[in-house]
Amino acid sequence: MKKTIAIVAALAVSLFSVNAFAQEEERESYLFNHWSVGVSLIGDFHVSVATTILPNLQFRAMYSTLTPHLALANAITKNKPNIGPINPYHSVQEFNKSVDGVNIKSLDIVGSVQSRDLNLLLDFYPAKGSKFHLTAGAIISFTPDLVKASVTALDANGNPALKPDADGNGLVSFGNVTPNPDGVINARVAYGLNKVRPYVGIGIGRPVATDKRVSVNFDLGVAYVGGVKVFSEGYMNNWPNAEVIEINKQWIETTKLPDSNKTIKEEMGEQAAGYFESANSFPVLPYLRVTLNVRLF
């Protein structure tokens, strides 16, 4: 009997000790008790700071950008024949056509990709000790325009061929899209929600792993971006001030090119126009990210 009591007592003490240790470990995972920093392995380039809120809830602040990827692409293509820089892109293309009675020798094209975002994310772990998490948050953009581009039509002497005079005379209109006072046609690409975009996703791993110093976190999710919108400028109705022209499905289907009976859609072809229309109306942007995290304390 004494042995039985001793065994039961030993088990009780052991269970109490384990439970106390588990509770203590759980308490250590509460508000801001642990922090980590992370860097991307796959996906857009990002750096992050994460902390614990509750044992089953963690918070991440993540700065993401495409700039290092674009710089790498520039370095890879720098010495390749017939491939110019990726960002900023600059190329002069032969044209040799007449537009609205103006002879154009070439097109000077300049473009740049811009991407700088702050991601504020909450990771919820449904099961105690689980690595699987549900994520919700917001992506705040510092660059309202994803892409900026400009096209300057040049004459045989390399001067702007479509530059209007000081009073706006001589403007050439492409469905209300016109060159600016310097003879440059500007365009920009932006998401429909260009400031704050909601994000939801799932993932495996803990950005702040309390049981080890280094961890890997996998995320798969989508952000609602409200479609991809393309805008240009028009000066026909309010010279010398620009009005915003949206290059959308209706514009593609109804706008006719100067000196041509063809619409933009007819000129582009059904397939190319279909790609544009899909991008214009696509509501979400997918994200796949793998992050290496290091716990600081």
Side-chain angles (χ1 to χ4, degrees):
M1 185 66 178
K2 290 182 178 180
K3 287 184 177 180
T4 303
I5 294 173
I7 292 171
V8 170
L11 286 173
V13 170
S14 298
L15 289 173
F16 177 80
S17 299
V18 170
N19 185 56
F21 175 76
Q23 288 181 347
E24 181 63 29
E25 187 178 41
E26 191 172 271
R27 278 195 293 270
E28 285 184 0
S29 296
Y30 275 63
L31 195 63
F32 308 140
N33 279 350
H34 295 287
W35 291 79
S36 73
V37 293
V39 65
S40 60
L41 296 177
I42 297 176
D44 54 1
F45 176 80
H46 60 267
V47 293
S48 64
V49 176
T51 187
T52 53
I53 302 295
L54 293 170
N56 63 338
L57 191 66
Q58 295 189 357
F59 171 77
R60 281 184 283 168
M62 179 187 298
Y63 175 80
S64 61
T65 176
L66 293 176
T67 302
H69 293 351
L70 293 168
L72 178 61
N74 276 348
I76 292 173
T77 62
K78 184 176 181 179
N79 298 317
K80 302 290 184 181
N82 303 320
I83 300 179
I86 303 298
N87 194 54
Y89 173 83
H90 184 204
S91 177
V92 178
Q93 304 286 337
E94 292 295 319
F95 191 70
N96 293 322
K97 289 184 180 179
S98 175
V99 176
D100 207 23
V102 178
N103 293 322
I104 298 175
K105 174 69 175 177
S106 59
L107 300 176
D108 190 344
I109 304 169
V110 179
S112 63
V113 177
Q114 306 173 85
S115 174
R116 296 193 303 275
D117 302 320
L118 175 64
N119 301 241
L120 303 177
L121 307 174
L122 277 174
D123 298 314
F124 172 71
Y125 297 83
K128 187 175 180 179
S130 168
K131 302 295 184 183
F132 173 78
H133 60 260
L134 305 172
T135 302
I139 299 176
I140 303 170
S141 178
F142 299 131
T143 51
D145 296 324
L146 181 63
V147 176
K148 282 190 173 183
S150 65
V151 179
T152 306
L154 303 177
D155 59 23
N157 297 319
N159 298 317
L162 300 179
K163 183 177 180 178
D165 64 23
D167 296 322
N169 297 317
L171 269 177
V172 175
S173 173
F174 302 84
N176 286 335
V177 172
T178 66
N180 66 13
D182 295 320
V184 180
I185 297 176
N186 291 311
R188 57 187 179 89
V189 179
Y191 294 124
L193 295 180
N194 58 11
K195 295 291 185 184
V196 180
R197 305 188 288 269
Y199 173 92
V200 293
I202 59 175
I204 301 292
R206 288 183 176 248
V208 184
T210 57
D211 58 339
K212 51 188 174 182
R213 181 70 64 179
V214 179
S215 64
V216 176
N217 189 66
F218 169 82
D219 285 291
L220 178 64
V222 293
Y224 180 79
V225 299
V228 178
K229 309 295 183 181
V230 181
F231 302 96
S232 190
E233 301 172 343
Y235 292 83
M236 292 293 292
N237 302 320
N238 196 28
W239 179 266
N241 301 310
E243 62 176 330
V244 176
I245 309 294
E246 183 177 350
I247 312 301
N248 52 26
K249 182 175 183 290
Q250 181 182 0
W251 189 89
I252 289 177
E253 292 180 345
T254 60
T255 300
K256 292 190 175 182
L257 295 170
D259 299 332
S260 170
N261 234 359
K262 291 184 177 180
T263 64
I264 300 292
K265 186 172 184 176
E266 291 170 337
E267 189 71 24
M268 293 173 66
E270 289 284 344
Q271 188 175 18
Y275 289 146
F276 185 93
E277 291 169 7
S278 297
N280 194 248
S281 59
F282 197 67
V284 298
L285 180 70
Y287 284 85
L288 189 156
R289 289 165 166 163
V290 177
T291 307
L292 177 68
N293 306 289
V294 178
R295 181 168 53 83
L296 300 177
F297 56 86

